[in-house]
Amino acid sequence: MSTDNPANPSAPNPAPPPVIVSTTPPVVATAPPNSDQEEAPSSIYLVAYPKIVFLYPTYIVSIIAWLVMLLLGDAAMPDGTRHRVAELITLFFLMLTAVNLVVISFDFPRTTSLTLFFGFSAVMMGAVLLFTNQPELIKPVSKFLESLKPWANAQFYGLFALLLSVLYLIVWMMARFDYWEVRPNELMHHHGFLSDLERFSAPNLRISKEINDVFEYMLLRSGRLILHPTNEPRAFVLDNVLNINRKEAQITKMLGALQVEFRTEGPRTPQA
């Protein structure tokens, strides 16, 4: 008699096949991480600033000179005991302003131009010190340098700092109404006081980075960012983007991050 006959009450029932439940978590494959360990942000904001933002060294020095002149008081007046100190402060302020204006007026794209600029500045300062200490070398030049006695009071520095403060406030307000936003699927341009919006496709967005001025990069890590949206004949050029290397790395990570999920399943239950 066969033991597999279900009619036989004494025959043991066959054991059901084992069901294997996998507890292994899904395997997630991501793009290779960059050197920084920051996660790709959900959106990146890009603002093209005017060149006046590079005047912040002169702005800071004007505030310091204003405070120093306030502390000196009447001693810094033309007939005061600290008049020479006030002249040196004014001379330093003028020299720094001149250098700052040269930075925003011309581009220094290579380190060679940067070396030439510093070399020319060193030669000029050396010539000024030489003619000041040795006036018999060239008397007309020495007399001209001796006649230079610039002086400015605390009100001058205060008004100058106030003017730049107002301009920086206007620049900050304008940046709130004209900026670009990069998202994983689209590129958006916010502009206008009524929040006008332009949308462009971003999955195949191409970006180009240019650093045209060494000084501007040293001051604010700024540069030019060129955006090439998909199916768009024109390219959008954003000048003076601050922290351009960081912005480029974030955009590259956002648009290049792929996430593919592989699920590990257990063996299927055999069916009769």
Side-chain angles (χ1 to χ4, degrees), residues 107-124:
D107 290 335
F108 298 88
R110 299 179 180 271
T111 55
T112 304
S113 58
L114 183 63
T115 304
L116 292 176
F117 175 78
F118 279 118
F120 179 77
S121 301
V123 170
M124 291 298 297

Side-chain angles (χ1 to χ4, degrees), residues 10 30 57 68 81 94 101 126 132 156 204 222 250:
S10 61
T30 58
V68 172
T81 57
L94 292 176
L101 292 177
T132 303
F156 170 79
N204 295 323
S222 67
Q250 289 178 341

Side-chain angles (χ1 to χ4, degrees), residues 189-210:
H189 183 201
H190 304 265
H191 59 92
F193 291 97
L194 299 179
S195 298
D196 297 334
L197 181 63
E198 292 182 85
R199 296 177 181 269
F200 307 93
S201 179
N204 295 323
L205 176 68
R206 294 182 295 113
I207 60 174
S208 302
K209 179 186 68 174
E210 297 179 1

Side-chain angles (χ1 to χ4, degrees), residues 49-118:
Y49 289 95
K51 281 185 173 290
I52 193 175
V53 296
F54 300 109
L55 282 177
Y56 78 89
T58 303
Y59 175 64
I60 295 175
V61 171
S62 65
I63 295 177
I64 296 176
W66 172 58
L67 295 176
V68 172
M69 294 296 291
L70 286 179
L71 293 176
L72 294 178
D74 294 339
M77 301 301 288
D79 296 332
T81 57
R82 307 303 296 273
H83 175 61
R84 183 57 180 169
V85 176
E87 289 182 353
L88 293 177
I89 293 175
T90 306
L91 184 61
F92 177 76
F93 174 79
L94 292 176
M95 292 176 61
L96 180 63
T97 304
V99 173
N100 219 164
L101 292 177
V102 170
V103 169
I104 66 176
S105 300
F106 305 99
D107 290 335
F108 298 88
R110 299 179 180 271
T111 55
T112 304
S113 58
L114 183 63
T115 304
L116 292 176
F117 175 78
F118 279 118

Side-chain angles (χ1 to χ4, degrees), residues 95-220:
M95 292 176 61
L96 180 63
T97 304
V99 173
N100 219 164
L101 292 177
V102 170
V103 169
I104 66 176
S105 300
F106 305 99
D107 290 335
F108 298 88
R110 299 179 180 271
T111 55
T112 304
S113 58
L114 183 63
T115 304
L116 292 176
F117 175 78
F118 279 118
F120 179 77
S121 301
V123 170
M124 291 298 297
M125 294 179 65
V128 170
L129 293 176
L130 178 63
F131 293 142
T132 303
N133 296 327
Q134 302 293 333
E136 66 277 1
L137 293 179
I138 303 181
K139 292 185 178 180
V141 177
S142 301
K143 290 182 180 180
F144 174 75
L145 294 177
E146 290 178 358
S147 63
L148 291 179
K149 295 181 179 180
W151 179 83
N153 57 8
Q155 294 181 359
F156 170 79
Y157 297 113
L159 292 176
F160 187 87
L162 178 62
L163 175 62
L164 283 183
S165 299
V166 173
L167 293 177
Y168 282 146
L169 179 61
I170 295 175
V171 169
W172 179 82
M173 293 178 60
M174 295 300 296
R176 306 278 75 80
F177 297 100
D178 189 1
Y179 62 93
W180 294 77
E181 183 180 359
V182 183
R183 292 187 177 181
N185 295 324
E186 58 183 350
L187 171 67
M188 297 184 293
H189 183 201
H190 304 265
H191 59 92
F193 291 97
L194 299 179
S195 298
D196 297 334
L197 181 63
E198 292 182 85
R199 296 177 181 269
F200 307 93
S201 179
N204 295 323
L205 176 68
R206 294 182 295 113
I207 60 174
S208 302
K209 179 186 68 174
E210 297 179 1
I211 299 178
N212 299 323
D213 196 307
V214 180
F215 281 109
E216 293 178 357
Y217 180 77
M218 291 172 58
L219 290 174
L220 291 174

